[in-house]
Amino acid sequence: MNLVDYLRISLIDRCNFQCQYCMPEGAEIDYILQQNLLTLDELLTLLREVFIPVGFTRFRLTGGEPLLRPGVVELVKQINAFPETKDVAMTTNGFLLAGMAEDLYQAGLRRINISLDSLDPDIFDQIIGNRGRSRWQQVWAGIQAAYQVGFNPLKLNVVVIPGVNDHEVLDLAKLTIERQWHVRFIEFMPIGNNDLFADRGWISSEELRQQIREQWGLETSQVTGNGPADVFQIPGAKGTLGFISQMSECFCDRCNRMRFSADGWLRPCLLNETGQIDLKTPLRQGATFEELREQVSNLLGIKPDINFKQRDSGTTGNYARTMSQIGG
């Protein structure tokens, strides 16, 4: 059975963007009030007393937008201080990163994923649901700051949306030739956005690879990631190209992660709501750490049966939470 040792931790379900694929326009998002979020002390307690003892050693901080959470730099430092911690990473939209990259690096963060769905400021603003001043330049500044500070690998996540940014695939892939950046193309997912999904569909990773192959050639990279990406390289390029193909190519058999939401729910599979458990309520009601560890261990035991495998064309039914609330 695959070792599940990677916990994605959502620090906040709010975001300063409203990306189409994450928080669809018009979606009724009931933001969690601050008092309903786990406090950072509670989160650190659960990490120390529950998650690490059952085998989690790799952690990724997500959101919403994790840089909106007060105390995030200190949290990185504290998680890094656990002797069992092997890796701390973050996924961010980069908007607040320029002013925080140095502090995060000093706190021990080394790996960062930044969402960059377009190199065209107008398309970028369309995707993120911007209503005013363009935000592309500030995100680009955050990427540059992270690069200069020394984040390695620095990964750029691109969700490919047909008819919106799919014509930029080659331009985005080209970023890896001269820089040690890692561009990851992610197939669009039907999480809380069924209407948009039905309208647009998705483009398979193999189609994207073929475009790149015809332009420059493409070879399997010697660099492998911690997760589900299949990694390739343009011959001679300094960086790599990753393809996350959750719609066209099931990778449940190598899934090594669970997701922990900002309000304390542990979810074993991104695409399946079965089996998720609330840890915040019993923690606040005085449950013992042994009881909580037992709950998490039981969930780890049934995870292989929960993993979602019917991905031929979409999903059945509606998801109760959008991607921003899950901490995708």
Side-chain angles (χ1 to χ4, degrees):
M1 190 172 74
N2 209 34
L3 175 66
V4 179
D5 62 354
Y6 182 173
L7 186 66
R8 296 178 66 104
I9 303 165
S10 174
L11 299 183
I12 191 166
D13 86 327
R14 290 187 295 112
C15 187
N16 41 3
F17 289 2
Q18 190 169 3
C19 296
Q20 296 176 31
Y21 51 78
C22 186
M23 289 198 293
E25 192 171 356
E28 294 300 321
I29 304 289
D30 295 321
Y31 288 124
I32 301 172
L33 297 174
Q34 181 67 32
Q35 61 264 30
N36 286 334
L37 293 179
L38 279 170
T39 67
L40 296 187
D41 282 345
E42 287 172 332
L43 173 56
L44 287 165
T45 297
L46 286 170
L47 286 171
R48 183 180 64 246
E49 304 291 347
V50 179
F51 290 119
I52 287 174
V54 302
F56 288 98
T57 58
R58 303 173 191 276
F59 307 101
R60 175 172 293 276
L61 304 177
T62 70
E65 172 45 48
L67 296 183
L68 288 175
R69 181 73 191 248
V72 63
V73 172
E74 181 61 26
L75 179 67
V76 169
K77 191 182 296 184
Q78 298 273 0
I79 296 174
N80 257 314
F82 293 131
E84 299 88 348
T85 297
K86 291 180 180 174
D87 185 53
V88 183
M90 179 180 286
T91 298
T92 171
N93 62 30
F95 187 66
L96 298 174
L97 188 57
M100 298 178 74
E102 179 68 39
D103 288 344
L104 288 165
Y105 193 84
Q106 293 301 324
L109 193 71
R110 290 293 178 269
R111 301 193 317 111
I112 199 160
N113 292 35
I114 304 164
S115 299
L116 184 74
D117 294 321
S118 177
L119 294 173
D120 180 318
D122 291 335
I123 294 174
F124 180 83
D125 288 335
Q126 175 195 341
I127 292 172
I128 70 167
N130 182 39
R131 295 288 175 272
R133 191 165 54 89
S134 175
R135 296 185 171 189
W136 186 90
Q137 196 60 51
Q138 193 159 336
V139 170
W140 188 249
I143 293 168
Q144 301 295 332
Y147 187 45
Q148 285 156 15
V149 164
F151 280 98
N152 184 23
L154 187 150
K155 295 182 179 178
L156 302 180
N157 289 351
V158 181
V159 176
V160 180
I161 307 173
V164 178
N165 65 347
D166 53 325
H167 63 287
E168 293 188 68
V169 168
L170 293 179
D171 289 335
L172 287 156
K174 192 177 180 181
L175 293 174
T176 67
I177 295 177
E178 296 297 332
R179 304 173 183 86
Q180 202 171 348
W181 291 2
H182 306 271
V183 173
R184 292 146 39 99
F185 294 106
I186 302 170
E187 290 177 352
F188 178 58
M189 293 173 69
I191 302 285
N193 52 18
N194 291 9
D195 294 340
L196 184 63
F197 182 78
D199 173 42
R200 301 272 169 80
W202 45 274
I203 300 174
S204 74
S205 293
E206 182 48 41
E207 288 179 58
L208 303 182
R209 285 194 290 267
Q210 191 54 38
Q211 279 188 52
I212 297 164
R213 200 176 282 123
E214 288 172 4
Q215 181 73 18
W216 294 290
L218 198 60
E219 57 194 25
T220 303
S221 173
Q222 301 307 307
V223 179
T224 56
N226 280 334
D230 295 308
V231 187
F232 293 81
Q233 229 164 349
I234 294 169
K238 293 180 180 176
T240 65
L241 296 166
F243 298 86
I244 300 181
S245 316
Q246 68 281 358
M247 298 309 299
S248 65
E249 304 162 21
C250 175
F251 47 71
C252 291
D253 58 334
R254 51 194 166 109
C255 178
N256 63 342
R257 64 199 57 199
M258 286 194 182
R259 285 168 169 79
F260 191 47
S261 70
D263 59 344
W265 284 82
L266 183 64
R267 181 182 179 118
C269 172
L270 175 60
L271 288 176
N272 191 326
E273 297 189 334
T274 306
Q276 51 191 340
I277 54 175
D278 174 15
L279 294 178
K280 181 188 69 180
T281 303
L283 176 70
R284 290 183 177 176
Q285 291 175 348
T288 67
F289 296 134
E290 188 177 353
E291 289 168 336
L292 296 178
R293 284 194 293 268
E294 189 175 337
Q295 281 193 56
V296 175
S297 294
N298 289 340
L299 196 54
L300 282 166
I302 62 172
K303 177 173 164 61
D305 298 326
I306 290 173
N307 280 351
F308 180 85
K309 296 191 178 186
Q310 292 122 22
R311 308 182 183 188
D312 297 336
S313 59
T315 182
T316 56
N318 289 317
Y319 289 100
R321 291 184 164 207
T322 61
M323 189 75 89
S324 68
Q325 292 172 307
I326 297 165

